[in-house]
Amino acid sequence: MAVDRRSFLKSGLLAGGTVITSPWVFSTGARAAGEIKVGVLFSLTGGLSIIEKSLHDATMMAISEINAAGGVKGMKIAAVAEDGASDPKTYNEKASKLVIQDKVPTVFGSYTSASRKAVLPVFEKRNNLYFYPTYYEGFECSKNVVYTGAVPNQQLSNFIPWIIKTLGKKKFFIVGSNYIYPREMAKVSKILIEKNGGEWIADEYLELGHSEWGSMVNKIKGSGCDVVLSNVVGDSVVAFYREYKNQGLTHDKLPICATVTSEIEIAAMGAEYAVGSYTSFPYFQAIDTDINKAFVDRYRAFVKDPKAVTHHALESSYFQVFLWKQAVEKAAEITPVAIREAVKGQEFDAPNGHVKIEAENLHTYLTPRIAQWLPDGQGKIIDAYKEPIMPLPYVAYGETPTNLFCTSKGLETSKLNKT
Amino acid sequence: MLEVLFIGLSLGSILLLVALGLAITYGAMGVINMAHGEMVMVGAYVTVLSGIYLHTNIFVAIPLAFIVTALLGLLIERVVVRRLYGRLLDTLLATWGIAILIQQAVRLEFGLSFFGIHIQGLGPGLQNVSVPEVLQGTFTIAGADLNRYRAFIILVTVILSLLTWFIVYRTTMGTQVRAIIRNPKMAAACGIDVTRVNALTFALGSGLAGVAGVMMSGFKTVFPDMGTPMVVDGFLVVVMGGVGSLLGSVFSAGILGEINGLVAAATNDILARAVVFGVVIAIIVLKPKGLFALKGR
């Protein structure tokens, strides 16, 4: 079959929608003999570097472990690390650089939804592959992203009923930072609260990075709620928990139940401010298994900091590299599309337990857990599912395991419109 | 209601705490000191480091931070700012550059992180400052639960304001500073050593920022970027109050704090912030020289 240049280019450009043709054919020169390049894209500078540096480190640690064990298909992984600089625009530029210039078949990266949304067009247009390790708000269905963090049904579907039934708290004050993740989480929470017979009495937001909580905490105090659901993100978390205690609120009477507060924030605020509050995540540093303890030790040695903490997004950054490695070993050729097809259904024994990539929506089966924070800054896991549950990125819109909105064919928008 | 007013007062005192030093460096010396926020940050890190290495609490950190940031201020004045007096925009750019240098020095642990050396208490991460038990929780006045730490901040702000007032209005150096505000050339002609007084004034302003940093470290997050948003608030207060007027800064901080607190209680914090900016714009439009402008000839 003769293919002229123009129609070949055209089909290449259209490849975002097709699977068979990929612009990847251009870039066979990408691999030096015995080496696979991958992109690693996190913020090493700027405000978000606090957390993203740890995700970068976890990714590099996984790569060095795989290389030490012989690499993939006998080839070493060569990481091309770029700095997203806490800025979505920079993220987009660096992603383009990795995909077009370095011709990597996969990029691992992003912490915030803003940065993921910024790089998404690059990966969809070039039909490349992005591994995203952070818990996020769902409502996304891309063939070019593998999501290894929790989606709302893995953080809230266990949490809200547990708060209402086990803690016996019924009146929710929902508080969050003012952007897409906390707002979508609040949407899911409200549905679950109403379904379980509770009520929400307020839904309030503060700017991202805001650290003046006096008025908000005073409002919480006067609202008559009996539990606070926090989707507060970033350094605001620290100021929030401190103000909470300093205005005389206690977690035994009016607990904060959080979806973002992890080991990192607890260490920064001082554990005494969070003692008794709750967080829902699939992974905690305190998970009492040999595989996790060894993981924590290895991470601390890797970053040369004996007090370093591990957290959910960090752990996902780590295990997703292994899922990728297994996919590359299974794939017939090292192209983004072949890796994507091969990653479907991959399973791995991660520090948090058994994980598996759902073939339909490329999200990850994870085990929901709830922890209560202890004076030493670690979570005590007080509720956990027996096994990983299916990821449902559209759960707020009525998605169920038997009625998926996001499948390998793409998003079925007709289902979305019905709700 | 008392609680809402208290929060407003506390917001005002935090604004004033940052603005006090600026009122001196910007008001008296005409230097747009963009590195002021970084002085606050350095003050906060002094608290972190003294906690780790000297095992001292926040009270000891206050004089310590004052000394460290005042010396740093003196150094900056000697090396950079001294050459730029009378060039307002140049001071802005130069001090902004200094701000970035200080930030990166803390983030990169003075460059040691390139060699794989980690200094506990520095680096890009969030730092933890432990607050003494006495300053945690609440106390009760007239049936209202008031935040102890915020009360402590208000107290420190009042003391610092009085001290600054005393220095500026009741000491020889203060008289010289005020003479320089009015007319630097005439002051020099009268035998005032303008260079020396300016250096000390800059050091004082920086030292006050350091103390503000200690107070911030107890209830905000300590990290290298923490100072940047504060410097904007500081300038709002100084400009609204009237450049060169200490009393003006006190009043405008109080007014902005209460407006913020009341609007936030009635609606939400995001709207409150917008209202505060609106008020500042209105005042600058109506009274371009601020609330308490110096009458000059």
Side-chain angles (χ1 to χ4, degrees):
Chain A
M1 194 180 80
V3 182
D4 69 10
R5 213 165 80 102
R6 181 168 296 168
S7 70
F8 188 59
L9 269 178
K10 224 189 223 165
S11 62
L13 288 173
L14 288 171
T18 58
V19 180
I20 313 119
T21 324
S22 149
W24 186 248
V25 243
F26 290 119
S27 48
T28 38
R31 271 166 281 129
E35 198 177 84
I36 307 180
K37 272 197 206 173
V38 295
V40 178
L41 180 55
F42 293 101
S43 301
L44 303 177
T45 56
L48 292 164
S49 61
I50 294 159
I51 291 168
E52 296 197 23
K53 179 74 171 56
S54 69
L55 308 188
H56 170 90
D57 289 340
T59 309
M60 296 312 252
M61 174 171 134
I63 291 173
S64 79
E65 285 182 10
I66 292 171
N67 282 344
V72 189
K73 284 184 169 173
M75 291 179 285
K76 292 268 185 257
I77 307 173
V80 184
E82 288 291 343
D83 177 10
S86 307
D87 171 36
K89 217 189 255 169
T90 311
Y91 257 100
N92 180 291
E93 287 160 11
K94 300 285 181 166
S96 303
K97 185 241 168 200
L98 287 169
V99 170
I100 298 167
Q101 193 181 324
D102 295 322
K103 302 189 171 79
V104 298
T106 303
V107 177
F108 303 95
S110 280
Y111 176 66
T112 61
S113 291
S115 63
R116 188 192 67 252
K117 295 274 186 205
V119 301
L120 203 54
V122 176
F123 290 92
E124 294 195 331
K125 192 170 149 197
R126 308 269 166 189
N127 209 10
N128 209 294
L129 193 59
Y130 199 51
F131 272 67
Y132 176 66
T134 318
Y135 50 96
Y136 85 112
E137 66 279 356
F139 200 66
E140 198 170 280
C141 184
S142 173
K143 286 178 185 163
N144 301 93
V145 183
V146 177
Y147 307 81
T148 56
V151 284
N153 77 308
Q154 293 166 322
Q155 268 192 287
L156 290 172
S157 298
N158 59 327
F159 206 21
I160 304 281
W162 179 84
I163 293 167
I164 292 173
K165 292 190 183 108
T166 313
L167 285 184
K169 307 285 188 184
K170 289 209 159 56
K171 286 183 184 163
F172 287 74
F173 191 112
I174 306 173
V175 59
S177 302
N178 196 14
Y179 76 105
I180 180 169
Y181 171 77
R183 285 190 177 268
E184 282 288 324
M185 290 300 269
K187 205 187 257 176
V188 181
S189 308
K190 285 175 191 170
I191 294 168
L192 287 166
I193 289 168
E194 278 157 17
K195 207 193 273 173
N196 287 283
E199 58 173 322
W200 56 277
I201 54 177
D203 180 19
E204 297 266 355
Y205 298 90
L206 269 185
E207 281 165 70
L208 189 60
H210 195 89
S211 56
E212 181 47 67
W213 284 90
S215 302
M216 184 71 85
V217 172
N218 196 38
K219 217 178 263 180
I220 290 173
K221 229 166 135 180
S223 70
C225 62
D226 55 18
V227 61
V228 176
L229 186 69
S230 161
N231 300 312
V232 180
V233 178
D235 53 297
S236 305
V237 173
V238 176
F240 176 42
Y241 279 66
R242 288 196 163 184
E243 184 68 31
Y244 201 78
K245 182 173 180 193
N246 284 342
Q247 288 207 17
L249 296 172
T250 52
H251 295 297
D252 54 340
K253 287 207 191 78
L254 184 59
I256 296 179
C257 295
T259 57
V260 183
T261 312
S262 73
E263 286 84 351
I264 278 202
E265 286 89 359
I266 301 285
M269 75 177 76
E272 70 265 31
Y273 291 95
V275 172
S277 68
Y278 303 93
T279 297
S280 170
F281 267 137
Y283 173 83
F284 290 96
Q285 187 179 333
I287 290 177
D288 194 15
T289 57
D290 292 340
I291 181 168
N292 180 47
K293 281 179 189 155
F295 167 68
V296 174
D297 289 343
R298 286 202 309 279
Y299 178 73
R300 285 177 168 173
F302 188 79
V303 297
K304 298 194 187 77
D305 181 356
K307 284 184 181 163
V309 291
T310 57
H311 51 99
H312 171 47
L314 185 155
E315 189 246 1
S316 293
S317 303
Y318 174 79
F319 76 67
Q320 69 177 8
V321 182
F322 285 88
L323 288 167
W324 173 85
K325 172 200 171 230
Q326 292 175 3
V328 172
E329 277 166 352
K330 185 186 164 197
E333 48 176 359
I334 300 166
T335 66
V337 172
I339 296 172
R340 196 257 319 280
E341 290 307 313
V343 86
K344 291 178 177 174
Q346 282 299 339
E347 301 181 35
F348 182 68
D349 281 314
N352 84 71
H354 199 68
V355 297
K356 183 180 133 190
I357 302 284
E358 165 58 40
E360 293 290 346
N361 58 25
L362 295 178
H363 286 63
T364 308
Y365 278 78
L366 294 165
T367 313
R369 291 186 172 89
I370 299 166
Q372 184 172 30
W373 296 101
L374 297 174
D376 65 353
Q378 289 298 324
K380 179 185 163 204
I381 293 154
I382 47 177
D383 188 80
Y385 275 36
K386 285 199 178 57
E387 52 191 25
I389 62 166
M390 189 172 185
L392 300 169
Y394 287 86
V395 72
Y397 303 86
E399 192 177 41
T400 59
T402 49
N403 179 21
L404 289 180
F405 289 17
C406 179
T407 64
S408 55
K409 291 183 200 75
L411 177 64
E412 291 183 42
T413 41
S414 58
K415 291 181 178 172
L416 209 54
N417 294 336
K418 259 184 252 167
T419 50
Chain B
M1 192 60 201
L2 186 61
E3 286 177 16
V4 173
L5 289 178
F6 177 79
I7 286 170
L9 188 65
S10 149
L11 294 176
S13 71
I14 292 162
L15 285 175
L16 183 59
L17 203 55
V18 178
L20 262 185
L22 267 187
I24 293 176
T25 49
Y26 179 49
M29 307 168 64
V31 173
I32 299 186
N33 184 8
M34 295 301 281
H36 192 77
E38 274 54 46
M39 293 296 176
V40 176
M41 183 265 285
V42 169
Y45 271 93
V46 169
T47 324
V48 173
L49 294 175
S50 65
I52 295 175
Y53 296 104
L54 305 175
H55 306 290
T56 51
N57 61 17
I58 208 161
F59 300 111
V60 182
I62 292 176
L64 211 58
F66 183 87
I67 295 167
V68 170
T69 49
L71 287 177
L72 187 60
L74 205 60
L75 182 74
I76 292 170
E77 205 274 346
R78 278 283 155 95
V79 177
V80 181
V81 175
R82 171 165 296 185
R83 296 157 215 277
L84 299 172
Y85 285 125
R87 293 154 64 187
L88 202 62
L89 287 177
D90 294 347
T91 60
L92 187 151
L93 286 179
T95 51
W96 191 15
I98 293 169
I100 294 169
L101 284 177
I102 298 176
Q103 261 184 38
Q104 295 301 334
V106 172
R107 181 175 291 124
L108 300 173
E109 303 161 50
F110 299 108
L112 291 176
S113 63
F114 289 123
F115 305 104
I117 301 168
H118 176 68
I119 303 174
Q120 203 199 339
L122 293 176
L126 302 170
Q127 302 299 335
N128 167 25
V129 169
S130 60
V131 176
E133 202 68 35
V134 217
L135 296 178
Q136 296 184 12
T138 59
F139 64 98
T140 315
I141 288 180
D145 287 338
L146 301 182
N147 182 329
R148 285 189 200 184
Y149 196 82
R150 284 177 185 272
F152 179 56
I153 292 182
I154 295 172
L155 185 73
V156 170
T157 311
V158 169
I159 293 173
L160 284 184
S161 306
L162 288 175
L163 208 64
T164 313
W165 172 83
F166 183 80
I167 291 172
V168 175
Y169 289 90
R170 287 289 179 273
T171 62
T172 322
M173 187 199 144
T175 316
Q176 295 178 343
V177 169
R178 281 183 293 136
I180 295 172
I181 298 178
R182 290 300 170 123
N183 191 331
K185 285 198 180 118
M186 192 61 90
C190 292
I192 295 171
D193 187 348
V194 177
T195 338
R196 186 178 148 270
V197 173
N198 271 344
L200 288 176
T201 316
F202 199 86
L204 175 66
S206 304
L208 288 173
V211 178
V214 178
M215 303 312 294
M216 297 299 169
S217 70
F219 81 129
K220 293 196 175 183
T221 327
V222 180
F223 63 105
D225 295 314
M226 66 180 286
T228 318
M230 292 181 198
V231 76
V232 178
D233 289 354
F235 275 111
L236 283 186
V237 170
V238 175
V239 170
M240 177 172 147
V243 176
S245 166
L246 204 56
L247 194 66
S249 294
V250 173
F251 269 91
S252 71
I255 292 168
L256 292 181
E258 287 297 346
I259 291 176
N260 197 335
L262 289 171
V263 177
T267 56
N268 63 56
D269 276 279
I270 294 171
L271 197 61
R273 190 111 180 106
V275 171
V276 164
F277 279 112
V279 169
V280 173
I281 292 171
I283 285 176
I284 294 175
V285 168
L286 296 174
K287 298 193 68 153
K289 288 193 169 248
L291 292 174
F292 292 75
L294 287 176
K295 289 185 184 64
R297 269 179 279 182

